[in-house]
Amino acid sequence: MASSDSLPYAKELLVAELAVQRASLLTKRVFHETAKGTVSKDDKSPVTIGDFGAQALIIAALRHNFPADQIVAEEESAQLRGDGDDATALRARIWDLVRTTKLDDDVAETGVLGGAVRSADAMLELIDSGDSKGGRSGRIWALDPIDGTKGFLRGGQYAVCLGLMVDGEVEVGVLGCPNLPVDDSAPLSADVGADATDAEGRGVIFAAVRGRGATSRPMGKGGLRESRAISTRPISDLSAASFCESVEAGHSNQGGAAQIAQKLGITRPSIRMDSQAKYGSIARGAGDIYLRLPTSKTYQEKIWDHTAGDLIVREAGGYVTDITGKRLDFGHGRTLAENKGVVAAPAAIHAQVLKAVQEVLEVN
Ligand code: AMP
Ligand code: MG
């Protein structure tokens, strides 16, 4: 570890990867103990429990190590406060998970992450300290505790996402994808089945530091497992490329994506999966192109849905812009107010893909 200390943001990276790994242990517990089979009953509480629990654990680690940093996180704790039966039960359930989810390695758990949260009240305060407005100055973490909630509920893809911006530039990105296969040549599919969560051979942590490349490593339960460098797939023939897109038709225009694929001569069906697992997948060459095509004129993308993925793809040799060709600008606050949609692809083919996107969507 001594040599890695000389890398820029070495400590931030270590803390972020371990915090994401610990939070992923919590979300997997929630899935096993609460979520399985709840989708048909339309019970959203597993998402709520997992979201709040993972947010509390990650912010605890950030506060312990970087007390002056700001945090932009998706959730706030109002729903958990108060004396009503629902709030009391929800708070107790989340507190029980937060109190008892630990990395199985004392150096990582206590030495790096700072150990357990002190009390249920401290947990609520931690959750609420993710209320930064974001912006272009200083150190700001962006956190999505469970990205892809629909995937999480059905035992499909979801991601625990954490990125650090410094003066508006993303410097560190980490994605925990508990249900992605460790083996990147395994066939990709959105749904891995309820029994796959926590199964052997699944669970990947992607990470990147700006200017230092991107890595993946198997997700573990203690200290970090060994990492390897990853890269987007070199593509000479665009027609052999494959698309990743959202499962939710409301999040990206799937009809538009099909027309773009046709224009590019791509015949393979797109791989649909929830969450920033899409960014991770193209960063390791398990897919090639990720399009997020706006379905509404007014929707503003949230920074926590893209911070980590954007850096990981760029550090893996990809290029990421919006549909107008601009880089994603994370310095505008909690949303990507100045961007529309996302076009992510290996650098060598990005321009061709963007051109097709603009022709089909008539962007100008
Ligand atoms: P995905 O799993 O890639 O479909 O994206 C999940 C994310 O989509 C969620 O975290 C939401 O923040 C975000 N989202 C919600 N509504 C929209 C929308 N209308 N367009 C694009 N993204 C959305
Ligand atoms: Mg999200």
Side-chain angles (χ1 to χ4, degrees), residues 190-257:
D191 289 348
V192 294
D195 293 327
T197 292
D198 212 17
E200 209 39 50
R202 293 208 182 260
V204 180
I205 298 178
F206 298 101
V209 171
R210 187 165 68 94
R212 301 289 166 149
T215 63
S216 77
R217 67 177 90 232
M219 188 177 270
K221 296 179 176 173
L224 294 177
R225 294 169 66 181
E226 203 174 329
S227 71
R228 67 180 183 85
I230 55 170
S231 61
T232 55
R233 187 158 51 187
I235 298 180
S236 44
D237 177 8
L238 232 172
S239 67
S242 65
F243 272 39
C244 286
E245 65 180 354
S246 284
V247 178
E248 293 300 308
H251 294 175
S252 183
N253 170 358
Q254 295 174 342

Side-chain angles (χ1 to χ4, degrees), residues 74 144 146-151 157-158 245-253 273-279 290-296 298-302 304-306 341:
E74 189 170 10
D144 192 346
I146 297 186
D147 182 35
T149 51
K150 301 247 170 60
Q157 297 308 331
Y158 70 97
E245 65 180 354
S246 284
V247 178
E248 293 300 308
H251 294 175
S252 183
N253 170 358
M273 65 172 85
D274 296 284
S275 85
Q276 289 186 62
K278 291 185 281 293
Y279 281 115
Y290 165 28
L291 299 182
R292 194 172 188 90
L293 309 176
T295 56
S296 102
T298 52
Y299 183 76
Q300 293 188 342
E301 295 285 346
K302 309 297 181 279
W304 53 79
D305 283 330
H306 303 280

Side-chain angles (χ1 to χ4, degrees), residues 323-348:
I323 61 170
T324 72
K326 280 193 298 199
R327 281 267 311 269
L328 302 188
D329 183 350
F330 293 93
H332 280 283
R334 292 174 67 91
T335 68
L336 293 171
E338 297 297 314
N339 293 112
K340 283 288 168 209
V342 178
V343 177

Side-chain angles (χ1 to χ4, degrees), residues 31 246 262:
F31 180 77
S246 284
Q262 197 178 22

Side-chain angles (χ1 to χ4, degrees), residues 279-364:
Y279 281 115
S281 294
I282 73 165
R284 65 176 178 167
D288 303 301
I289 301 165
Y290 165 28
L291 299 182
R292 194 172 188 90
L293 309 176
T295 56
S296 102
K297 283 203 160 44
T298 52
Y299 183 76
Q300 293 188 342
E301 295 285 346
K302 309 297 181 279
I303 62 169
W304 53 79
D305 283 330
H306 303 280
T307 319
D310 170 77
L311 182 68
I312 289 166
V313 167
R314 288 186 293 113
E315 287 297 326
Y319 201 55
V320 183
T321 66
D322 71 0
I323 61 170
T324 72
K326 280 193 298 199
R327 281 267 311 269
L328 302 188
D329 183 350
F330 293 93
H332 280 283
R334 292 174 67 91
T335 68
L336 293 171
E338 297 297 314
N339 293 112
K340 283 288 168 209
V342 178
V343 177
I349 60 167
H350 184 277
Q352 264 174 289
V353 174
L354 180 64
K355 182 165 174 279
V357 167
Q358 295 186 335
E359 284 168 9
V360 168
L361 301 185
E362 297 175 359
V363 178
N364 272 312

